[in-house]
Amino acid sequence: MTPIVLLDRLKDFIEEQTRDLLLSTRVKTNEKPQERPAAVYKMRLPNKEGETKLIPYILLQFITGEDAQEKNKDPESGCMVRIVVATYSEDGETGAMDVLNVITRIRIALLKTGVIGDQFLLKKPIEYLVYPDSTYPYFLGEMITRWELPTIEREVENLWY
């Protein structure tokens, strides 16, 4: 269950790091523009309409995991988590810059901390990009992070050598 715990801890961490970043939300015609911090979700958005109606948001997705042990070495466990950032703006430059701002805030916080939940170690490289596609007035970017997870120890002895 460690990837599940990682997503929970990462959600808490990112909410804390981005709570003061106020981002535009889509409003109905003739309504006053509103701003709020990005909501953080794990794995998927609650529903299909959320892809646009929940913006701004940050989506944490477990991508892959691996348990390995090379001969004469300790076992290793790790996973990859994708962090998707979605923003809204009627101004193309502002919308793209908002995505970059959120990604940069998360990136710097992760690099400074290096560990989430006292058991998940951030590994380099961190990859990030702002999508160059034209999705106006919605803007998207993502970050790929790699994590060292606690290993699971075998409870029975290996009888085969």
Side-chain angles (χ1 to χ4, degrees):
M1 295 222 346
T2 52
I4 295 169
V5 175
L6 171 60
L7 289 177
D8 289 341
R9 299 296 179 273
L10 201 50
K11 180 181 190 279
D12 294 342
F13 179 81
I14 290 174
E15 285 174 338
E16 174 70 24
Q17 297 301 317
T18 60
R19 71 172 184 232
D20 65 329
L21 288 177
L22 299 180
L23 303 164
S24 296
T25 62
R26 185 164 197 147
V27 294
K28 295 178 182 172
T29 307
N30 299 326
E31 286 186 8
K32 183 180 175 186
Q34 298 178 6
E35 294 182 327
R36 67 170 174 79
V40 182
Y41 299 94
K42 298 177 292 185
M43 293 304 287
R44 300 278 181 263
L45 297 174
N47 54 53
K48 181 70 173 162
E49 293 81 33
E51 290 178 357
T52 56
K53 291 186 179 180
L54 295 175
I55 289 177
Y57 64 77
I58 299 167
L59 179 61
L60 310 176
Q61 295 179 312
F62 173 86
I63 302 297
T64 62
E66 181 178 51
D67 294 299
Q69 183 171 8
E70 294 181 27
K71 189 175 182 177
N72 300 323
K73 291 192 177 183
D74 289 334
E76 295 180 355
S77 186
C79 72
M80 187 180 301
V81 174
R82 176 181 182 220
I83 302 170
V84 178
V85 175
T87 65
Y88 168 86
S89 180
E90 290 295 330
D91 178 321
E93 181 179 15
T94 299
M97 289 299 290
D98 284 347
V99 170
L100 183 59
N101 189 22
V102 173
I103 287 173
T104 301
R105 174 76 65 98
I106 294 169
R107 179 183 144 264
I108 290 170
L110 287 173
L111 289 170
K112 281 183 176 181
T113 302
V115 175
I116 297 293
D118 295 331
Q119 55 186 335
F120 306 105
L121 178 66
L122 177 68
K123 295 171 67 175
K124 293 180 184 174
I126 295 176
E127 299 174 43
Y128 50 99
L129 72 118
V130 175
Y131 299 156
D133 304 343
S134 178
T135 56
Y136 172 88
Y138 306 104
F139 302 88
L140 298 161
E142 71 178 70
M143 180 184 305
I144 300 294
T145 58
R146 291 162 182 83
W147 298 90
E148 183 177 312
L149 303 173
T151 56
I152 307 299
E153 296 296 324
R154 186 176 292 205
E155 293 180 353
V156 296
E157 289 185 41
N158 186 356
L159 302 177
W160 301 274
Y161 293 95

